[in-house]
Amino acid sequence: MRCKAAAAMGLKAGGAGKLRLPSVVAAVARSRMMKLWVLRATTTVLLWTCLVQLTAVGETWGPRVLMGWPSCRTARLAMTGPVAEKAVLPPRRVYRNNGYLMVSCNGGLNQMRAAICDMVAIARHLNVTLIVPELDKTSFWNDPSEFQDIFDVEHFITSLRGEVRILRELPPRMKQRVEVGMFHSMPPISWSDISYYHNQILPLIQKHKVLHLNRTDARLANNGLPLDIQKLRCRVNYASLKFTPQIEELGRQVIRILRKNGPFLVLHLRYEMDMLAFSGCTEGCTREEADELTRMRYAYPWWKEKVIDSYVKRKDGFCPLTPEEIALVLRALEIDRSMQIYIAAGEIYGGKRRMASLTSAYPNVVRKETLLEPSDLRFFQNHSSQMAALDYLVSLESDIFVPTYDGNMAKVVEGHRRFMGFKKTILLDRKIIIDLVDRYKSGSLPWDEFSKLVKSVHANRMGSASRRTVIPDKPKEEDYFYANPQECLRDPNLLRAL
């Protein structure tokens, strides 16, 4: 009976099992899903607990997931040294905006650099919004570089946010006004004091909302300005106008190569075709070269002086020294023959023929093109301002800086080296040098006497502390602010002693 009952029950159970199989499988599946969910939930809780604990300990040894995976640049910096902390930005200056100032700079790199500093100071004083300046693309060099191709635009904007509001471009509504011609464009008057901008320029900005200033070089006076204006010009020049990281890094690379081989002198040899054509200086040139330079001078209508007596101009000290002349001067100053001479300039007119005297006297003549691989410069070729930026960086760090002509780069580098602590800059008196060179070459002045006189003339022209010369009503003849920014020098006691 039991067997039959059991058999009967088994059959019944079996029959019923067949009927309930889907619900049994579902129950098992739900059980497994519940266990899996509990496992996942437990794991998640544990992971979050770990993360909270690690966060509490700090970022020093926390997992990467807390900070994000490092980029290639971060990894590279980690190998070379600790990553600098992010700079704390100054609070934005709050003021009632009087309008927008657009700026078109003209000239070469350092001519534009000084103009940018002036325009920031003017925008700050007038309480206007400055649009990132436009750089000259129509000069002799025909450089298509934009502001952000040469300067670190983000640093420029953020470092000055406590002084003036700077935008990359006009707001849409203002841009529409410009597109339909609802703005005013003009060149400001040269060497003006800040009252000119307050009394004549500010009303124009308030009237037109947008003012465009062109040809902005030398539009702010050297002297007679409030101290805060002068100090802001320096701040822009020496802190806010940083070159792009690519230019800065390549500049450091050139300096490392030079330093590896000892001290070096930077010679700003302004003996390029455009400079000679502009100045009308043809000393040592062939007849064909002199004719070529004259044709070039007439080809540029904005070069006002056309008929030039090269002989008279040279005698008056208004010509850049030739490679032959500067070789004699360096020897007279007893610059060591083994000294590296870095040429900060474009292509020298006359090429190797004109450089022969200099390279014979100083065999270690180098330039960025000979120190770097062509691949290092491939992104800078045909961009004269970017190449000039490299020379600027090397010039700042040189043991001695010698400009052969007092152009914009010579003046701005001179001032920057003064700001850095009166680094040795030999400021050549070209008028006296030409007289001494001609007397030496004619045989009327022996070498020892020539050398003695050259050293005597320049004993107090080495970039040391000096007061800026002020000539009322003749700003072009007085000392340039950017060559001697005395209001910004780090040791004012040096000036008080003069």
Side-chain angles (χ1 to χ4, degrees), residues 146-160:
E146 302 287 354
F147 186 100
Q148 63 269 18
D149 297 322
I150 300 173
F151 300 107
D152 186 334
V153 66
E154 191 62 32
H155 175 77
F156 176 69
I157 293 172
T158 57
S159 66
L160 290 167

Side-chain angles (χ1 to χ4, degrees), residues 358-471:
L358 182 59
T359 54
S360 175
Y362 293 92
N364 293 327
V365 172
V366 297
R367 50 192 308 147
K368 51 189 173 293
E369 292 85 355
T370 62
L371 296 174
L372 298 170
E373 296 295 330
S375 58
D376 294 324
L377 291 169
R378 67 182 181 277
F379 296 118
F380 301 92
Q381 296 290 352
N382 302 318
H383 293 82
S384 60
S385 290
Q386 296 182 46
M387 297 287 268
L390 291 174
D391 284 342
Y392 186 94
L393 291 170
V394 179
S395 298
L396 290 185
E397 295 300 322
S398 63
D399 297 282
I400 307 172
F401 177 64
V402 183
T404 61
Y405 188 75
D406 53 355
N408 288 289
M409 177 167 172
K411 291 176 179 177
V412 177
V413 170
E414 175 193 345
H416 205 150
R417 287 170 67 86
R418 285 179 182 273
F419 180 79
M420 294 170 70
F422 302 104
K423 300 182 72 174
K424 190 172 185 178
T425 302
I426 303 178
L427 305 171
L428 301 175
D429 188 323
R430 292 188 304 278
K431 185 173 182 178
I432 293 179
I433 284 175
I434 292 305
D435 178 63
L436 294 176
V437 166
D438 287 350
R439 288 167 59 192
Y440 168 71
K441 291 173 71 173
S442 69
S444 62
L445 188 66
W447 174 259
D448 288 346
E449 187 65 18
F450 171 76
S451 178
K452 179 181 177 181
L453 290 172
V454 170
K455 285 185 283 191
S456 175
V457 167
H458 296 94
N460 295 318
R461 296 175 63 89
M462 298 288 180
S464 56
S466 64
R467 289 270 177 198
R468 202 165 55 238
T469 302
V470 179
I471 306 176

Side-chain angles (χ1 to χ4, degrees), residues 257-315:
I257 294 171
L258 289 165
R259 285 277 175 237
K260 191 182 298 183
N261 297 319
F264 66 96
L265 177 151
V266 167
L267 181 63
H268 184 42
L269 187 58
R270 199 68 172 92
Y271 203 78
E272 299 134 320
M273 186 177 183
D274 67 298
M275 183 69 247
L276 300 179
F278 174 77
S279 63
C281 299
T282 58
E283 175 69 18
C285 294
T286 64
R287 181 62 188 174
E288 291 75 15
E289 289 172 335
D291 290 342
E292 181 181 39
L293 295 174
T294 301
R295 286 194 300 271
M296 182 180 182
R297 184 163 66 254
Y298 277 89
Y300 288 87
W302 54 87
W303 290 355
K304 296 179 181 179
E305 194 176 12
K306 301 300 182 184
V307 180
I308 300 174
D309 187 327
S310 176
Y311 175 83
V312 172
K313 201 161 190 180
R314 176 176 174 270
K315 283 290 188 180

Side-chain angles (χ1 to χ4, degrees), residues 473-487:
D473 301 324
K474 293 184 178 180
K476 290 184 179 181
E477 298 179 21
E478 64 186 8
D479 288 344
Y480 188 40
F481 171 80
Y482 291 103
N484 187 8
Q486 62 188 37
E487 296 89 341

Side-chain angles (χ1 to χ4, degrees), residues 55-108:
T55 303
V57 171
E59 295 184 351
T60 305
W61 56 279
R64 288 179 178 176
V65 74
L66 293 177
M67 298 176 283
W69 292 98
S71 64
C72 295
R73 181 177 180 273
T74 305
R76 178 172 58 82
L77 290 174
M79 291 187 290
T80 57
V83 179
E85 293 183 7
K86 188 175 182 180
V88 178
L89 298 178
R92 294 182 187 274
R93 177 167 171 258
V94 179
Y95 58 92
R96 181 179 178 181
N97 182 32
N98 285 320
Y100 296 85
L101 179 61
M102 299 172 62
V103 172
S104 292
C105 302
N106 59 294

Side-chain angles (χ1 to χ4, degrees), residues 13-83:
K18 289 179 182 180
L19 293 173
R20 295 197 302 269
L21 185 59
S23 61
V24 172
V25 171
V28 172
R30 282 196 299 273
S31 176
R32 288 178 178 175
M33 287 289 291
M34 182 63 71
K35 290 179 181 179
L36 183 59
W37 183 88
V38 170
L39 180 62
R40 287 177 176 174
T42 304
T43 303
T44 301
V45 170
L46 288 172
L47 284 173
W48 275 108
T49 303
C50 292
L51 291 174
V52 170
Q53 292 296 324
L54 288 171
T55 303
V57 171
E59 295 184 351
T60 305
W61 56 279
R64 288 179 178 176
V65 74
L66 293 177
M67 298 176 283
W69 292 98
S71 64
C72 295
R73 181 177 180 273
T74 305
R76 178 172 58 82
L77 290 174
M79 291 187 290
T80 57
V83 179

